[in-house]
Amino acid sequence: MALPSKSSSPSRRNLLRTLGAGALLGGLAGCGVPAAYVPPGERAAADLSATDKRLIWANWPLYIDTDDEDEARRPTLEAFEERTGISVEYVEEINDNDEFFGKISPALMNHQRTGRDLIVISDWMCARFVRLGWVQEMDRARQPNVTKHLDPQLRSPAFDPGRKFTVPWQSGITGIAYNRRRLGREIRHVSELWASDLKGRVTLLSGLDEAFALLMQGNGVDITKWTADDFYTVCDQVEKQVRRGQIRRFTGNDYIKDLSSGDVLACQAYSGDVIQLQADDPDIRFVVPEEGAELWSESLMIPNLARHKANAERLIDYYYEPEVAAELAAWVNYVCPVPAAQDVLASAKDEETAALAEDPLIFPDAAMRGRLAIARDITSGERVEFAKRWNVIAGL
């Protein structure tokens, strides 16, 4: 198993950047456009999988293992093609959840094919697809590995109880990253972001869906059932910190640059990014605060009218084989949704690869898991109003 370059894979968490996008998505997911909803009986097309051995898979850039000698080669995917005879057209076309929604939503709301058999998007966006009836229920009889090996903590999010329509591709944690040497102390609580020695040296994530849960947890909120009052309390707190100059700015993934340069000493961050940053700077730490942190996923879904559903289900199940999941985890460095892959990595002959099995940011230990929770998603009825309030604060 080849160890990937830790500096090669940027974060996949993407942002709700504008009020316009938030309003559009909220309207479509609500009752404003009732025709957008597709009832169960109208989601499937004739499945050509038995005779047409191929599928089209849309994913994010740099989100699959590649060969160290030839980045155009994807070892796990090539092994699947060789084993099954199924040809996979792998398209790295997803750069932003909202942008991709805009690309394929016209087809889905008009009961037309998207030209894709499999897609990977963030769970907060998956929630909208599920609510709108834009994705097909998977046949778990074809997916014994998913049934057996899916991380119990990821099995039943509020937006998709029992994971009937979605399967996590990779997972991660939104917590706090900080530079231990430059700050001169540890951080253990969300409230420490507001400490006087961090004034002007803190960044928060700009995306509504990415930022709110961790801040609520800092207030002791159970994010599996947060309320509108909890949200507005966070907004009031953040607004106060903006006025007093505590927050340097709101960021996308560019917090990585600020933290590396020392312009920022502490920030909201994603676990996968920090693993990569630590390879170059061991003084950078990632903490799951004592109050807790958000566990999130980006998930595989089969859109309506996909012509190769069984082939897509077979591919998903292949990536839930522990050996395959381990090879992928060693490259992407996110939280692996297949806990059984940990033993596979631990037995690797390469010491650096084997050490990944002990990294709690890839395989969270019991103590860390006890502080992780999956936030309930923002409903369609809440989204427009919440986005309007948050985007003013974040300057979007």
Side-chain angles (χ1 to χ4, degrees):
M1 182 183 300
L3 185 71
S5 168
K6 290 186 180 294
S7 62
S8 63
S9 179
S11 171
R12 301 297 167 276
R13 298 293 282 166
N14 284 265
L15 311 171
L16 183 66
R17 291 193 174 94
T18 65
L19 175 59
L24 170 64
L25 297 176
L28 284 175
C31 59
V33 188
Y37 177 76
V38 179
E42 300 177 20
R43 298 175 190 173
D47 193 350
L48 306 179
S49 295
T51 56
D52 191 12
K53 308 292 279 186
R54 63 189 180 94
L55 68 93
I56 300 172
W57 179 8
N59 205 347
W60 304 76
L62 301 172
Y63 213 11
I64 196 170
D65 54 303
T66 59
D67 188 279
D68 289 341
E69 305 298 324
D70 181 0
E71 291 186 358
R73 298 191 61 188
R74 304 179 178 98
T76 58
L77 193 56
E78 291 178 6
F80 172 80
E81 292 178 311
E82 184 175 349
R83 181 197 298 184
T84 64
I86 296 171
S87 174
V88 181
E89 182 179 341
Y90 185 82
V91 186
E92 294 183 326
E93 64 170 327
I94 305 176
N95 295 294
D96 177 270
N97 286 291
D98 295 325
E99 178 185 60
F100 188 67
F101 181 99
K103 182 183 292 187
I104 68 172
S105 60
L108 289 164
M109 72 174 62
N110 288 295
H111 302 236
Q112 298 169 352
R113 290 196 296 273
T114 66
R116 301 157 183 87
D117 300 295
L118 195 60
I119 61 176
V120 178
I121 54 178
S122 300
D123 269 2
W124 60 265
M125 180 64 83
C126 290
R128 298 177 198 167
F129 279 70
V130 172
R131 281 198 298 264
L132 287 163
W134 286 2
V135 289
Q136 300 183 61
E137 183 173 347
M138 297 186 202
D139 183 356
R140 290 289 182 255
R142 294 193 182 112
Q143 298 179 316
N145 291 315
V146 173
T147 300
K148 182 177 181 180
H149 294 302
L150 173 58
D151 187 337
Q153 203 162 7
L154 299 173
R155 283 182 181 266
S156 197
F159 74 91
D160 184 16
R163 286 280 184 185
K164 295 179 179 179
F165 299 93
T166 63
V167 173
W169 171 242
Q170 294 294 293
S171 191
I173 302 166
T174 300
I176 297 172
Y178 67 102
N179 190 303
R180 175 67 176 82
R181 177 178 57 82
R182 287 182 168 134
L183 181 58
R185 62 178 177 86
E186 294 186 349
I187 289 179
R188 297 183 182 275
H189 302 278
V190 176
S191 61
E192 292 180 68
L193 291 173
W194 318 137
S196 58
D197 60 348
L198 285 174
K199 186 172 183 178
R201 310 290 292 277
V202 172
T203 61
L204 299 182
L205 294 169
S206 58
L208 168 62
D209 294 88
E210 285 77 10
F212 78 92
L214 180 72
L215 300 175
M216 284 185 187
Q217 287 168 301
N219 294 333
V221 173
D222 179 353
I223 61 170
T224 66
K225 50 187 178 184
W226 59 269
T227 68
D229 286 343
D230 296 325
F231 173 77
Y232 287 121
T233 296
V234 161
C235 287
D236 291 343
Q237 291 170 332
V238 174
E239 213 163 29
K240 176 182 177 181
Q241 299 302 331
V242 169
R243 286 196 301 267
R244 65 184 290 260
Q246 185 74 13
I247 299 170
R248 181 182 180 89
R249 66 189 185 110
F250 294 81
T251 74
N253 293 337
D254 45 344
Y255 71 81
I256 296 170
K257 177 182 65 176
D258 291 345
L259 188 61
S260 297
S261 68
D263 289 340
V264 159
L265 297 181
C267 58
Q268 279 188 316
Y270 307 126
S271 55
D273 287 341
V274 176
I275 292 176
Q276 296 155 29
L277 287 171
Q278 287 172 334
D280 298 321
D281 186 350
D283 291 318
I284 291 178
R285 309 284 175 85
F286 182 87
V287 61
V288 171
E290 292 186 11
E291 301 88 358
E294 181 190 11
L295 179 67
W296 48 262
S297 297
E298 287 169 332
S299 292
L300 297 141
M301 299 190 299
I302 300 172
N304 289 356
L305 305 182
R307 303 305 297 268
H308 306 92
K309 182 173 184 283
N311 290 346
E313 289 167 336
R314 190 171 181 183
L315 176 64
I316 293 168
D317 199 58
Y318 165 78
Y319 275 99
Y320 270 72
E321 293 180 12
E323 294 77 13
V324 179
E327 189 169 354
L328 181 64
W331 200 90
V332 300
N333 292 170
Y334 283 86
V335 174
C336 180
V338 182
Q342 184 172 18
D343 289 340
V344 177
L345 279 174
S347 64
K349 294 181 180 179
D350 179 84
E351 290 185 6
E352 196 171 357
T353 301
L356 295 174
E358 302 304 317
D359 192 328
L361 299 186
I362 299 176
F363 298 99
D365 57 26
M368 182 179 288
R369 281 186 178 276
R371 301 198 303 278
L372 298 177
I374 299 174
R376 79 158 176 88
D377 58 297
I378 298 171
T379 68
S380 57
E382 296 167 327
R383 180 161 297 279
V384 175
E385 183 180 348
F386 285 5
K388 184 181 297 184
R389 176 73 189 278
W390 178 258
N391 290 349
V392 169
I393 298 170
L396 296 178

